[in-house]
Amino acid sequence: MVETTRIVLAARPVGAPTPANFRLETGELPDPGPGEVLLRTRYLSLDPYMRGRMSAAESYAPPVEVDGVMVGATVAEVLESRDPSLAKGDVVVAYSGWQTHHVAPASAVRKLDPDAAPPSTALGVLGMPGFTAYSGLLKIGQPKPGETVVVAAASGPVGATVGQIARIKGARAVGIAGGPDKCAYVRDELGFDAVIDHRAPDFADQLKNAVPDGIDVYFENVGGAVAAAVFPLLNTYGRVPVCGLIADYNATEAPSGPDRLPAHFRRVLTKSLTVRGFIQTEFVAEMYRDFLRDMSGWIGEGLVRYREDIVDGLENAPAAFIGLLEGRNFGKLVVRVA
Ligand code: NDP
């Protein structure tokens, strides 16, 4: 028997999660059976989708049960293997959740080459968020040379990667981020052509000035006031990959003010827009191999840069996650567990 320390969902949040929604506890794991491995978590990924898993509302994936371990992708070390494909000491990407140890089928984990890239990047630029940017932008956004691509949460792992791929494809990248530090990073280190602070009182005017030729691709990460400012600027045949709506994840009621939906749909009609939601898993079989090849190459050539926000200690995961929904992370949020 191995002891695991874990964070469970103590109660479903109403509105923004608080520390009371989580509980740290210990438990015992069974020994790994045939075909299984015992894992020790090194890094835990914290991602916006976890807010959806804390809720019982219908979604594309089942919720975490109350008293259940919070779900999440991890980079882990194999402590014991009962499968010939993995050996003690191997480093893998797993889905262990918010806990220090886990017993998993060997078929459910992917072995990493720890010399190819820092292992934590398998949770960010070389993992699910990077793939979300790659697949959503190339499959749905389809940026052409000279076009304008706009993306918010532009310092985070999805938005940062969207803008840099847009530039690789010859498009103009305009980022939206919260606060001067994030904006400076997006412009000066990631090389976006322009960046705007969505907290500025004249945000909508600044955005309009930053896109003199209109917007051809709006990679939708946030919704809310950002989307309201972007939609009137979309060009005919514009494309909108709908990836996330983080501005609304903690909402408990419809936003105040006029109903924007009729005006949005009128633009969809009159501008012949393509608005297409997606969950990145739908493109994995078709595109993941190309993604790993392209993204590794672009990082190696210095065309894609990334930033990680690493928090130490599993016990600090709830506070870090609460901060992620408020924009307090700066880069891909990862917890160093061991
Ligand atoms: P980030 O690490 O970028 O963190 C989220 C960021 O969202 C915050 O740091 C904050 O940045 C921004 N934000 C929060 N609230 C608001 C708001 N009201 N208005 C504007 N910006 C806000 O997250 P990820 O890169 O991991 O994810 C980005 C989006 O992609 C999320 O919506 C997520 O749910 C979605 N996603 C979708 C997937 C799919 O398959 N469809 C897969 C993965 C992610 P700032 O301070 O700059 O405002």
Side-chain angles (χ1 to χ4, degrees):
M1 287 280 193
V2 170
E3 191 170 87
T4 184
T5 301
R6 61 198 176 201
I7 293 176
V8 301
L9 177 64
R12 299 204 186 281
V14 178
T18 72
N21 297 122
F22 303 92
R23 189 175 66 244
L24 184 75
E25 59 178 39
T26 55
E28 289 193 337
L29 294 174
D31 293 329
E36 291 185 329
V37 286
L38 171 65
L39 303 173
R40 176 168 58 200
T41 305
R42 280 196 191 170
Y43 295 100
L44 163 67
S45 181
L46 294 182
D47 298 275
Y49 76 84
M50 293 166 175
R51 177 63 186 84
R53 299 290 195 283
M54 296 176 80
S55 160
E58 191 196 342
S59 188
Y60 59 91
V64 173
E65 297 299 332
V66 172
D67 297 331
V69 181
M70 286 290 296
V71 292
T74 51
V75 166
E77 181 185 338
V78 176
L79 294 185
E80 194 183 327
S81 175
R82 295 204 52 200
D83 189 272
S85 67
L86 290 168
K88 184 173 167 15
D90 282 347
V91 177
V92 298
V93 187
Y95 203 71
S96 300
W98 297 26
Q99 59 182 339
T100 58
H101 295 79
H102 185 218
V103 172
S107 59
V109 307
R110 178 168 62 88
K111 190 172 163 179
L112 287 175
D113 175 0
D115 297 326
S120 58
T121 59
L123 303 174
V125 69
L126 281 168
M128 185 278 283
F131 180 67
T132 300
Y134 179 92
S135 57
L137 183 66
L138 297 183
K139 197 80 186 169
I140 304 169
Q142 302 182 13
K144 316 274 182 307
E147 288 190 333
T148 297
V149 175
V150 170
V151 64
S155 69
V158 176
T161 313
V162 164
Q164 292 178 93
I165 298 174
R167 284 185 52 81
I168 289 168
K169 298 296 173 186
R172 199 167 163 265
V174 176
I176 296 166
D181 292 349
K182 287 184 179 179
C183 287
Y185 167 73
V186 170
R187 185 183 52 239
D188 301 338
E189 294 192 40
L190 300 182
F192 280 46
D193 298 278
V195 60
I196 297 141
D197 186 344
H198 67 85
R199 296 194 200 132
D202 60 344
F203 162 68
D205 289 337
Q206 287 194 38
L207 179 65
K208 192 172 180 188
N209 291 335
V211 295
D213 299 327
I215 297 169
D216 301 292
V217 180
Y218 172 48
F219 193 99
E220 174 64 290
N221 268 344
V222 304
V226 170
V230 165
F231 258 73
L233 304 172
L234 283 162
N235 291 332
T236 300
Y237 300 126
R239 285 84 67 198
V240 183
V242 181
C243 174
L245 299 166
I246 193 167
D248 299 322
Y249 290 175
N250 287 331
T252 51
E253 54 190 37
S256 59
D259 180 2
R260 294 188 191 118
L261 204 57
H264 272 15
F265 268 103
R266 188 176 153 72
R267 284 200 183 86
V268 172
L269 171 67
T270 58
K271 298 273 181 176
S272 302
L273 304 178
T274 300
V275 181
R276 157 72 147 98
F278 74 101
I279 303 299
Q280 48 82 25
T281 43
E282 74 169 288
F283 300 126
V284 164
E286 179 188 345
M287 299 179 80
Y288 210 83
R289 191 186 292 257
D290 290 350
F291 157 71
L292 284 178
R293 180 202 61 217
D294 289 347
M295 193 59 68
S296 305
W298 291 335
I299 293 170
E301 292 169 60
L303 294 173
V304 169
R305 305 178 80 175
Y306 62 91
R307 176 182 177 120
E308 295 176 320
D309 184 342
I310 296 190
V311 171
D312 274 305
L314 181 67
E315 67 281 9
N316 294 316
F321 176 68
I322 291 166
L324 172 74
L325 298 170
E326 297 168 355
R328 276 193 267 128
N329 65 308
F330 190 172
K332 172 64 196 124
L333 187 56
V334 174
V335 179
R336 188 167 19 221
V337 176

